[in-house]
């Protein structure tokens, strides 16, 4: 349809609600080599006009990103989520352990933050859900003593206490294998 210069191949992708989006293209261009007066010396030792190939495997990045956001409705799989885990200390007295949890996660390559708001735990959990953090990790006294985190997954709900090192390994594996949940 929109081929101005020569043959064109469009890659059309259907989104989750059935709409079709033209994302990628490959197009042969006979026009620009003439406009730029391009040439090369061929095997016959004579100048020849090249043919240019334009390609955009994902179309515009904006269109591709918009399609991804719509496809996942903002609930990105862990490997794609901007915030993969949020640490939620029960109170300020567990801030040191929350920072330790954060450091452990970051060393495992996890994009994580801490909610330092003075709100009650329920409000922190709700904020993590609304802001679509993949995992909310509640840390309190028992967690600090046992070196665990109480895991709340956006996909599976409450999972209970999990050893911090085991959770870090799980996150690293989830991210590396590009799991879709």
């Amino acid at each position: 349809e929109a081929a101005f210069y020569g043959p064109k191949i469009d890659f059309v992708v259907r989104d989750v609600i059935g709409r079709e989006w033209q994302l990628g293209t490959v197009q042969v261009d006979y026009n620009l080599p003439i406009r730029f007066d391009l040439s090369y010396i061929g095997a016959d030792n004579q100048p020849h006009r090249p043919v240019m190939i334009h390609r955009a495997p994902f179309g515009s990045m904006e269109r591709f990103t918009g399609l991804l956001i719509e496809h996942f409705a903002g609930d990105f799989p862990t490997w794609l989520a901007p915030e993969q885990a949020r640490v939620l200390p029960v109170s300020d007295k567990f801030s040191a352990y929350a920072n330790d949890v954060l450091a452990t996660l970051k060393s495992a390559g996890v994009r994580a933050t801490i909610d330092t708001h003075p709100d009650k735990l329920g409000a922190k959990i709700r904020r993590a859900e609304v802001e679509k953090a993949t995992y909310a990790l509640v840390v309190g006294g028992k967690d600090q003593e046992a070196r665990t985190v109480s895991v709340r997954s956006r996909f599976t709900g409450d999972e209970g206490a999990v050893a911090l090192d085991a959770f870090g390994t799980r996150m690293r594996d989830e991210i590396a294998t590009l799991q879709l949940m």
Side-chain angles (χ1 to χ4, degrees), residues 78 81-88 101-102 105-106 110-115 128 132-137 152 154 167 171 175:
T78 305
E83 184 180 16
Q84 296 166 326
R86 185 174 301 175
V87 182
L88 311 175
V101 170
L102 182 67
L105 293 173
K106 286 191 177 231
V110 177
R111 292 185 295 272
T113 62
I114 296 177
D115 187 336
K132 299 192 183 282
T134 307
Y135 290 98
L137 307 175
R152 183 179 180 92
R154 203 174 67 240
F167 185 75
M171 290 290 292
I175 293 164

Side-chain angles (χ1 to χ4, degrees), residues 59-138:
S60 74
M61 286 306 292
E62 293 84 1
R63 190 182 306 163
F64 182 70
T65 302
L67 187 65
L68 271 178
I69 291 168
E70 282 195 20
H71 177 76
F72 288 111
D75 286 326
F76 295 118
T78 305
W79 59 272
L80 190 56
E83 184 180 16
Q84 296 166 326
R86 185 174 301 175
V87 182
L88 311 175
V90 173
S91 70
D92 286 343
K93 66 182 179 178
F94 303 109
S95 293
Y97 181 59
N99 282 310
D100 185 32
V101 170
L102 182 67
T104 300
L105 293 173
K106 286 191 177 231
S107 71
V110 177
R111 292 185 295 272
T113 62
I114 296 177
D115 187 336
T116 58
H117 290 90
D119 300 332
K120 294 184 187 266
L121 182 59
K124 291 181 180 185
I125 291 171
R126 176 74 179 134
R127 186 170 27 256
E129 286 176 359
V130 168
E131 295 176 2
K132 299 192 183 282
T134 307
Y135 290 98
L137 307 175
V138 177

Side-chain angles (χ1 to χ4, degrees), residues 15-72:
D15 68 15
V16 293
I17 59 174
R19 295 177 297 183
E20 291 186 346
W21 296 85
Q22 181 235 329
L23 288 183
T25 61
V26 178
Q27 181 172 345
V28 177
D29 182 344
Y30 297 101
N31 186 28
L32 286 181
I34 294 169
R35 289 180 61 196
F36 290 121
D37 193 26
L38 301 177
S39 65
Y40 68 94
I41 303 300
D44 61 358
N45 211 19
Q46 297 297 313
H48 296 274
R49 184 78 62 199
V51 174
M52 191 178 282
I53 298 176
H54 298 279
R55 64 182 188 88
F58 298 116
S60 74
M61 286 306 292
E62 293 84 1
R63 190 182 306 163
F64 182 70
T65 302
L67 187 65
L68 271 178
I69 291 168
E70 282 195 20
H71 177 76
F72 288 111

Side-chain angles (χ1 to χ4, degrees), residues 72 75-81 84 134-135 155-156 169-181:
F72 288 111
D75 286 326
F76 295 118
T78 305
W79 59 272
L80 190 56
Q84 296 166 326
T134 307
Y135 290 98
F155 301 107
T156 60
T169 300
R170 168 181 159 185
M171 290 290 292
R172 188 175 31 249
D173 292 345
E174 217 172 279
I175 293 164
T177 59
L178 306 178
Q179 292 180 15
L180 291 178
M181 301 313 233

